[in-house]
Amino acid sequence: MDLIIPPVIIGLLIIMIFNVKSLMIESSVNNRLNNDMQTFAEVTATVLQEEIKLIQNFLDVKSDSIRYISTNRDTVLITRKGRDIQIARYVMATSIRDTLIIPASLSNLQFIREPHDVAIPAFLRVRVETESLPEHHVQLKNGDLTVSGFAERRVLLRNVAVQANQ
């Protein structure tokens, strides 16, 4: 009995240490993913806000895409492509098409004109939702875990309003 009890106690201590260490790793990864998803959402909303500031005329506004003419007379299409944002620009001055794809881990993207019942809206609301993939997580307990981040911007459409008043 004296020969069996010490190895059992040492074995239990080793198992406890490994469980605590794995829990710390899982917690650290989940905290990093929470931070990353929220950062992706905030940065994506800021990028879209900067692009949308240049709207001169709306061509088409759908729930997950927007097409407009900018103050430089360029035609711009912003849309969700999978988990990324695609900004396609046709530069009128040089007749060049330029496409920019921004990785954003998107799970949802919405463009909402405000107010809804007028021909020329004063604001455009942009809602961004990001989500991690299950393979980003340390899958020790449940493999279906995902983390989301949310951001929203309400952009004043100054150029559209000025043009409507002229």
Side-chain angles (χ1 to χ4, degrees):
M1 196 72 148
D2 290 339
L3 293 175
I4 296 175
I5 293 178
V8 169
I9 292 173
I10 291 174
L12 290 174
L13 287 174
I14 289 173
I15 290 172
M16 276 186 9
I17 290 171
F18 283 134
N19 283 339
V20 168
K21 185 166 177 94
S22 67
L23 182 63
M24 288 172 44
I25 290 171
E26 184 178 10
S27 175
S28 174
V29 169
N30 285 339
N31 286 339
R32 181 189 55 83
L33 280 172
N34 279 329
N35 188 32
D36 287 352
M37 290 303 109
Q38 189 60 42
T39 301
F40 271 132
E42 291 292 336
V43 168
T44 301
T46 302
V47 166
L48 291 174
Q49 177 182 358
E50 292 302 313
E51 285 291 328
I52 290 170
K53 280 185 184 178
L54 302 175
I55 291 178
Q56 184 77 33
N57 290 324
F58 284 107
L59 296 176
D60 189 25
V61 179
K62 295 181 181 172
S63 65
D64 65 345
S65 68
I66 183 169
R67 193 163 57 101
Y68 62 90
I69 296 176
S70 72
T71 55
N72 301 333
R73 308 302 299 158
D74 301 338
T75 303
V76 180
L77 171 66
I78 300 175
T79 187
R80 175 182 171 198
K81 185 174 185 180
R83 293 175 51 85
D84 304 328
I85 289 182
Q86 178 177 330
I87 302 173
R89 185 181 320 276
Y90 177 74
V91 181
M92 188 66 114
T94 60
S95 298
I96 294 176
R97 293 188 188 277
D98 182 30
T99 301
L100 176 65
I101 295 178
I102 302 170
S105 296
L106 287 178
S107 63
N108 193 12
L109 175 65
Q110 291 181 339
F111 296 100
I112 303 164
R113 295 168 61 166
E114 293 181 349
H116 302 291
D117 54 350
V118 296
I120 300 173
F123 293 94
L124 184 69
R125 186 178 301 269
V126 179
R127 292 181 180 164
V128 177
E129 182 180 341
T130 58
E131 187 174 17
S132 66
L133 296 173
E135 56 263 18
H136 293 151
H137 296 266
V138 177
Q139 298 177 354
L140 297 177
K141 294 187 179 164
N142 55 8
D144 297 337
L145 181 69
T146 60
V147 174
S148 297
F150 303 92
E152 182 173 295
R153 297 285 190 280
R154 189 172 184 227
V155 182
L156 173 65
L157 301 173
R158 183 181 0 202
N159 298 328
V160 174
V162 167
Q163 182 179 1
N165 291 331
Q166 291 179 353

